[in-house]
Amino acid sequence: MTHTLVSNVSMLETMNATTGIRDLGSSTTVNPANRDLERLANSLLSQLNAEEKLRQIPLVLFLTVLAVTGFLGNVLVCFIYGRVYKISNSRTFIMCLAVVDLFTCAIGIPMEIATSMDQYQFHSPWICKISRFTNIFTTITSAIVLVLIAMDRYRKICRSLEWQITNKYSRNLCVASVFAGLVLSWPALPLYGIKSAELVLSPIVNGTATECSIDDAYKNTLLPLVYEALHTMVFLVGVCSLVILYILIGRRVRFFAHKHEARRGSSSNGLDTIEQRKKTRKRRRERLEKLQSECSSSEGDSYASTETKSSVIKNTPLKHKISFTLSSGVGNNVVDMKPSATSLNRSDSVNLNGPNAAKQAKCRKTLARNTTYLMFIISVVFVLNFVPVLTLVLIRELKKDFVDNMSDPERITYRFFLRSYYISAAVNPIIYSIFDRRFRKAVKSTVREMLDNITCCQHA
């Protein structure tokens, strides 16, 4: 291909010397040599575009793997969280994030592949517009949802006794995040399109290359700069919000961890041991039996009544036994069978059912801590995937010849990192399967059920 390129240029130089044409820009008459120059320029651009397509194959394979993996993974996330998990704020936010990532994998990445294949001869402005709009929309919406998740975790952990985000309100917030993403991303439709640039293909041949970028209509305006500054500001505000909220959450969790360690230390010193709790329950049981014996020793009609009621109490399970109070009746002693509200709450709810209540409270705390940790990991991965993009864009703006001076391997690596933000859309289901035990078990059971159904269909 390179040999053909050189031979075409040499042939054109010989022909151009014969016709005496030197300056194409000053020629005012239509000349066969001009048409030959134009055809040769298009031929050279086509060859450059074909060579660039070969260099894009690793990037295309990488994006294809992300698109397929992310699509299947996010479909699985939507199915499992919608079918297995109970209604909660975390479930709502995670499903919203999965739908946005699914949109990225189904539309955003294929559009990106289409725009990256033609680096010198791109002629589809609407594919460029939709591609850039999709990328910006999904990025902003995902960032807003992650901030909402951090706010929800913050209120549950650091402001647990104050107003909390309800399930209905969390759904409304997801809709609002989508609307905000649309508002902040719609300017990409007019801004992006076909960008043309003059290339020196040989000493006597220039060509016009076209690519997907800022449209030529806005090339010399401040709108692209203002729009990029807006994106950068939104991203920085989101990152700062995530950092502040998770720092506050981490401090609170650390405070509770130290408090728990202090309780465990005091428990090991004999202040709150299992043996003492057994002794306390035994003393309560003895006091109850003593009360029953005093009631059974009464005279007259109250004796039979009390004996009957006492036998009922003895045959009742311990968790239904309540403290009773003696009251002075008129003319005879009467046992007041009305349970004391204080005795019911303290003895039955806390003391008698204490181990189960403590176990449930511990499970809830563990689940909340694991959910917070899972959301923190997702947020960190999202931010880290954008660091290479922002760094390269900043260097490219400060150093104009940054990309032009790259070798082919360096340019391939540059394009890989320039699209690193797609990783978060595909890796979130993997994070769920690693750090969420319930999700992992649900995936295993779902896959097993699907395989069983396939096996049954084959046998049938």
Side-chain angles (χ1 to χ4, degrees):
M1 183 176 295
T2 305
H3 177 71
T4 306
L5 184 70
V6 174
S7 62
N8 289 336
V9 172
S10 301
M11 180 184 66
L12 185 63
E13 288 176 349
T14 304
M15 181 182 62
N16 197 36
T18 304
T19 56
I21 296 175
R22 290 290 183 269
D23 188 3
L24 295 175
S26 61
S27 177
T28 58
T29 60
V30 178
N31 195 301
N34 289 340
R35 291 194 294 267
D36 292 335
L37 281 172
E38 185 178 352
R39 284 197 297 268
L40 180 59
N42 291 331
S43 176
L44 296 178
L45 285 173
S46 299
Q47 292 177 12
L48 288 175
N49 197 65
E51 292 175 355
E52 194 63 30
K53 282 184 178 181
L54 295 177
R55 299 189 188 100
Q56 297 292 329
I57 290 178
L59 176 62
V60 171
L61 293 177
F62 171 70
L63 293 177
T64 302
V65 171
L66 289 182
V68 174
T69 305
F71 181 83
L72 296 177
N74 286 290
V75 167
L76 193 61
V77 169
C78 293
F79 175 76
I80 290 178
Y81 272 88
R83 178 185 178 187
V84 177
Y85 283 66
K86 295 180 180 179
I87 297 176
S88 65
N89 295 348
S90 299
R91 172 181 176 267
T92 302
F93 288 132
I94 288 177
M95 289 187 66
C96 179
L97 194 63
V99 171
V100 175
D101 292 340
L102 189 62
F103 189 74
T104 301
C105 297
I107 298 178
I109 296 181
M111 288 290 182
E112 184 66 29
I113 293 174
T115 57
S116 63
M117 292 300 292
D118 294 314
Q119 296 292 322
Y120 292 97
Q121 290 181 318
F122 187 81
H123 303 294
S124 303
W126 276 104
I127 292 181
C128 179
K129 293 176 183 294
I130 295 174
S131 172
R132 297 300 179 258
F133 169 80
T134 303
N135 292 341
I136 297 172
F137 165 70
T138 54
T139 300
I140 293 177
T141 305
S142 298
I144 295 174
V145 172
L146 290 175
V147 172
L148 293 176
I149 291 173
M151 292 174 59
D152 179 61
R153 305 317 303 170
Y154 169 78
R155 298 206 65 84
K156 278 184 168 55
I157 294 177
C158 302
R159 296 289 185 269
S160 57
L161 300 180
E162 299 179 7
W163 175 85
Q164 299 296 321
I165 299 175
T166 61
N167 295 328
K168 182 179 179 181
Y169 198 63
S170 65
R171 291 193 293 269
N172 294 336
L173 288 175
C174 289
V175 174
S177 66
V178 173
F179 179 76
L182 290 174
V183 170
L184 293 174
S185 59
W186 76 263
L189 293 175
L191 276 178
Y192 286 91
I194 302 297
K195 177 185 176 181
S196 59
E198 290 293 326
L199 295 182
V200 179
L201 302 176
S202 77
I204 63 168
V205 179
N206 293 338
T208 302
T210 55
E211 63 176 350
C212 175
S213 185
I214 299 296
D215 195 272
D216 287 337
Y218 300 95
K219 182 169 57 176
N220 297 322
T221 64
L222 292 177
L223 290 178
L225 181 61
V226 172
Y227 194 49
E228 292 295 334
L230 177 63
H231 287 170
T232 304
M233 184 183 68
V234 170
F235 179 78
L236 292 178
V237 169
V239 171
C240 292
S241 302
L242 290 174
V243 170
I244 293 173
L245 290 172
Y246 279 111
I247 286 177
L248 296 175
I249 292 172
R251 290 179 59 185
R252 191 68 172 175
V253 171
R254 187 177 181 183
F255 169 76
F256 282 121
H258 287 314
K259 191 174 181 180
H260 181 66
E261 290 295 331
R263 286 180 178 177
R264 290 184 61 184
S266 63
S267 176
S268 62
N269 291 330
L271 298 178
D272 192 22
T273 59
I274 299 177
E275 290 77 9
Q276 284 196 344
R277 288 196 293 269
K278 290 181 178 180
K279 291 180 180 179
T280 302
R281 285 195 288 269
K282 184 178 180 181
R283 286 196 296 268
R284 291 197 187 96
R285 199 175 292 112
E286 290 176 353
R287 285 199 298 268
L288 183 60
E289 291 175 354
K290 183 179 180 181
L291 177 63
Q292 292 170 356
S293 63
E294 290 176 356
C295 293
S296 60
S297 62
S298 300
E299 297 177 353
D301 296 335
S302 63
Y303 175 80
S305 175
T306 305
E307 184 177 13
T308 304
K309 294 172 182 177
S310 177
S311 63
V312 172
I313 295 174
K314 289 181 181 180
N315 295 327
T316 304
L318 183 60
K319 66 178 181 178
H320 296 297
K321 293 179 181 178
I322 350 171
S323 300
F324 296 93
T325 57
L326 290 174
S327 62
S328 299
V330 179
N332 56 358
N333 294 330
V334 180
V335 179
D336 185 7
M337 298 301 294
K338 182 179 180 180
S340 172
T342 305
S343 302
L344 175 63
N345 291 333
R346 293 182 180 177
S347 300
D348 187 59
S349 299
V350 178
N351 294 330
L352 299 179
N353 285 335
N356 292 332
K359 186 176 181 180
Q360 292 176 0
K362 184 178 180 180
C363 291
R364 286 194 297 268
K365 290 180 180 179
T366 303
L367 181 60
R369 185 171 60 251
N370 292 340
T371 303
T372 303
Y373 184 67
L374 174 64
M375 297 297 103
F376 173 74
I377 293 295
I378 292 174
S379 301
V380 169
V381 171
F382 179 82
V383 173
L384 290 180
N385 285 330
F386 269 90
V387 170
V389 181
L390 295 178
T391 304
L392 290 174
V393 170
L394 180 62
I395 295 175
R396 186 180 64 188
E397 293 298 325
L398 295 177
K399 190 177 180 182
K400 297 301 182 181
D401 58 346
F402 176 66
V403 180
D404 297 335
N405 295 331
M406 289 182 178
S407 62
D408 289 342
E410 290 174 346
R411 189 175 287 106
I412 292 174
T413 306
Y414 164 78
R415 287 170 179 160
F416 264 99
F417 283 105
L418 203 60
R419 294 162 177 84
S420 61
Y421 56 89
Y422 287 120
I423 297 176
S424 61
V427 80
N428 283 344
I430 300 175
I431 296 176
Y432 299 146
S433 63
I434 293 175
F435 295 97
D436 191 346
R437 184 184 304 174
R438 294 179 300 167
F439 180 79
R440 188 165 58 248
K441 290 182 178 179
V443 169
K444 291 180 180 179
S445 61
T446 302
V447 172
R448 191 181 300 112
E449 182 179 354
M450 292 175 59
L451 293 177
D452 292 341
N453 291 336
I454 293 174
T455 304
C456 293
C457 292
Q458 290 177 350
H459 287 303

